[in-house]
């Protein structure tokens, strides 16, 4: 338990810093729970400057929870295209439907009700309750964790769950009853703009005095560096199959990675295979038809959090046969100009962009 005077000093210093230094963000101008919820979901794993245009477009298309709940999933996913982690969009959509059905369209203002909604975890519930409903509920994201670790020289002693629990308790102790939402946002803002992972700007930090790591000259020891698992490299072959001015695309199964998104067929190359042999095998397995490979169109390199993909894309004019695509949700022949209506994972979206930029049909 931190002494009351320490807590008060931290709260006071941080809130007055936030009053003058906070960045202007569109969701901060609203105070309403729905846009705050949307922004919090978008901001998970994504930086503020990337989120802003997505947020603005989202609020224009889905200005209310009711409008979101009534929208088709394909439209919702299209608004998320490029943000990644699409389960966030699907969960938000499902949650909107539940709020309309079970809460009369109003975002619930209790922790127990919020936590039951798809995609709402302890962090999101805390952010909504404190920022939109002025309740002294803590938040703990990567930025807050870093600030707290340094402020109180907190280190994991080999039991990550115990450390996490300790961080939540500390965040809970610190959040004030007056202006809890501003305080939580100030902690996150400090982590994002001043208490940076590398080279924190301690000289301009409002918490320089109470910060124990700074006082000890041990800022670089907190938090302890993460042990990173090496990124996996995978090579994939994909087919742009064309027939009479149309392109074949298929929808990934709703459950699973990037569920519900559209893609060009293909798959992972085995070590002993050539890119072309891989594609022929994959298409035979996925569509049940043989293909003819005309030429290589492009190679795309794309990094996801866990792996790095090299995508070799081939043009395959339609040969013959009856498509029996059993591994996907559905498949379609789509006009080039309509490809933009579908949501593709990032690497596949680059194939679409390139096909449309070429301005000529294969
Ligand atoms: S003094 Fe430095 S290490 Fe401590 S909270 Fe501020 S920026 Fe972070």
């Amino acid at each position: 338990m931190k002494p009351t005077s320490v807590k008060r000093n931290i709260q006071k210093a941080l809130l007055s810093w936030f009053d003058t230094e906070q960045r202007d963000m569109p969701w901060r101008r609203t105070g309403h729970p729905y846009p705050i919820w949307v922004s919090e979901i978008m901001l998970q794993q994504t930086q503020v400057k990337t989120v802003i245009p997505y947020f603005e477009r989202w609020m224009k298309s889905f200005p209310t929870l009711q409008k979101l709940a009534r929208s088709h999933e394909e439209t919702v996913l299209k608004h998320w295209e490029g943000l990644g982690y699409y389960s966030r969009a699907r969960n938000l959509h499902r949650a909107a439907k539940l709020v309309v059905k079970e809460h009369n369209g109003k975002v619930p203002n209790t922790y127990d009700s919020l936590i039951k909604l798809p995609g709402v975890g302890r962090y999101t519930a805390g952010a909504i309750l404190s920022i939109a409903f002025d309740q002294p509920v803590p938040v703990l994201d990567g930025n807050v964790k870093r600030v707290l670790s340094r402020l109180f020289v907190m280190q994991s002693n080999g039991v990550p769950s115990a450390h996490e629990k300790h961080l939540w308790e500390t965040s809970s102790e610190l959040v004030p009853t007056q202006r809890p939402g501003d305080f939580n946002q100030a902690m996150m803002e400090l982590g994002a703009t001043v208490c940076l992972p590398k080279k924190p700007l301690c000289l301009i930090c409002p918490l320089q005095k109470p910060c124990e790591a700074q006082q000890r000259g041990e800022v670089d020891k907190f938090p302890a560096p993460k042990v990173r698992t090496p990124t996996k490299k995978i090579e994939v072959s994909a087919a742009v199959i064309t027939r009479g001015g149309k392109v074949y695309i298929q929808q990934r199964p709703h459950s699973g990675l990037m569920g519900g998104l559209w893609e060009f067929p293909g798959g992972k190359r085995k070590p002993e295979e050539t890119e072309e042999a891989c594609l022929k095998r994959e298409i035979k397995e996925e569509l049940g038809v043989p293909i003819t490979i005309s030429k290589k169109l492009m190679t795309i390199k794309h990094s996801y959090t866990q792996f790095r993909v090299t995508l070799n894309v081939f043009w395959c004019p339609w040969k013959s046969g009856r498509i029996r695509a059993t591994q996907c949700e559905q498949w379609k022949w789509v006009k080039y100009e309509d490809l933009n209506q579908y949501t593709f994972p990032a690497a596949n979206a680059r194939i679409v962009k390139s096909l449309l930029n070429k301005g000529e049909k294969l």
Side-chain angles (χ1 to χ4, degrees):
M1 181 75 79
K2 313 286 172 234
T4 309
S5 59
V6 172
K7 284 193 272 181
R8 285 225 180 98
N9 287 342
I10 291 172
Q11 290 161 352
K12 215 173 141 208
L14 201 55
L15 282 168
S16 54
W17 171 81
F18 189 62
D19 285 341
T20 56
E21 302 299 325
Q22 65 173 295
R23 292 171 292 175
D24 181 33
M25 298 176 195
W27 47 91
R28 284 193 175 150
R29 296 176 215 137
T30 70
H32 294 298
Y34 167 58
I36 287 165
W37 181 5
V38 173
S39 70
E40 288 301 337
I41 300 293
M42 285 187 171
L43 285 164
Q44 289 165 17
Q45 326 270 358
T46 316
Q47 291 192 340
V48 169
K49 70 173 189 307
T50 308
V51 164
I52 288 176
Y54 279 94
F55 174 82
E56 288 177 333
R57 199 158 61 105
W58 182 281
M59 293 311 297
K60 222 169 166 185
S61 301
F62 316 117
T64 61
L65 265 169
Q66 286 79 358
K67 182 77 201 290
L68 175 61
R70 284 197 305 270
S71 301
H72 195 272
E73 184 178 276
E74 189 61 43
T75 316
V76 173
L77 290 175
K78 191 71 197 165
H79 281 71
W80 208 270
E81 192 178 53
L83 267 183
Y85 301 99
Y86 289 85
S87 57
R88 295 182 294 171
R90 274 196 303 274
N91 281 334
L92 197 50
H93 190 209
R94 280 170 52 215
K97 288 181 183 174
L98 275 174
V99 170
V100 168
K101 196 172 153 214
E102 294 175 7
H103 300 277
N104 212 12
K106 288 203 166 75
V107 179
N109 63 356
T110 64
Y111 183 84
D112 289 347
S113 300
L114 274 174
I115 205 81
K116 286 186 189 136
L117 296 172
V120 177
R122 190 173 176 183
Y123 164 79
T124 309
I128 296 171
L129 291 171
S130 62
I131 302 169
F133 295 110
D134 230 14
Q135 295 179 26
V137 184
V139 293
L140 190 69
D141 68 351
N143 284 324
V144 178
K145 280 182 192 173
R146 185 168 59 257
V147 175
L148 291 177
S149 314
R150 290 171 175 168
L151 202 50
F152 302 115
V153 287
M154 295 164 74
Q155 203 76 284
S156 168
N157 290 331
V159 188
S161 57
H163 182 55
E164 184 88 1
K165 187 167 173 268
H166 192 194
L167 286 165
W168 271 110
E169 285 163 1
T170 310
S171 179
S172 180
E173 263 188 63
L174 277 185
V175 65
T177 48
Q178 301 288 318
R179 302 181 62 194
D182 282 350
F183 180 82
N184 281 342
Q185 290 184 85
M187 284 292 276
M188 295 189 260
E189 187 91 338
L190 191 80
T193 61
V194 176
C195 194
L196 304 166
K198 289 176 194 157
K199 299 193 182 146
L201 310 173
C202 301
L203 287 177
I204 59 160
C205 178
L207 303 184
Q208 200 184 356
K209 261 195 191 161
C211 178
E212 289 182 43
Q214 158 72 9
Q215 297 308 325
R216 292 186 190 180
E218 292 182 347
V219 169
D220 53 342
K221 292 191 183 151
F222 297 89
K226 277 186 195 151
V227 183
R228 294 208 180 273
T229 44
T231 326
K232 245 170 102 182
K233 288 182 187 166
I234 55 172
E235 211 176 301
V236 174
S237 293
V240 174
I241 307 174
T242 58
R243 186 174 78 170
K246 291 187 175 174
V247 189
Y248 173 93
I249 56 170
Q250 59 189 25
Q251 190 179 30
R252 295 174 68 89
H254 284 302
S255 57
L257 191 68
M258 296 185 264
L261 301 196
W262 292 80
E263 65 181 7
F264 297 92
K268 260 190 257 175
R269 185 170 74 82
K270 292 179 181 170
E272 70 280 8
E273 279 178 326
T274 62
E275 294 166 9
E276 288 86 350
C278 157
L279 192 60
K280 285 183 177 170
R281 175 185 52 77
E282 284 286 345
I283 300 299
K284 187 85 183 123
E285 280 171 23
E286 283 183 30
L287 276 67
V289 290
I291 46 157
T292 319
I293 297 176
S294 174
K295 64 172 177 179
K296 190 169 188 177
L297 290 175
M298 63 196 96
T299 297
I300 290 171
K301 290 185 188 284
H302 192 83
S303 293
Y304 293 92
T305 319
Q306 310 288 352
F307 46 90
R308 240 180 265 157
V309 178
T310 301
L311 182 62
N312 300 303
V313 187
F314 294 88
W315 173 32
C316 308
W318 174 249
K319 206 174 166 190
S320 61
R322 187 161 159 240
I323 294 175
R324 286 187 197 85
T326 51
Q327 298 169 19
C328 59
E329 206 63 50
Q330 56 173 318
W331 58 271
K332 283 182 181 178
W333 289 102
V334 177
K335 287 187 196 156
Y336 283 78
E337 53 270 33
D338 292 342
L339 280 170
N340 258 340
Q341 293 171 15
Y342 298 85
T343 313
F344 293 86
N348 274 250
R350 285 169 62 188
I351 304 177
V352 171
K353 201 173 165 199
S354 167
L355 289 176
L356 295 177
N357 278 350
K358 277 195 175 123
E360 61 180 57
K361 291 171 187 170
L362 292 166

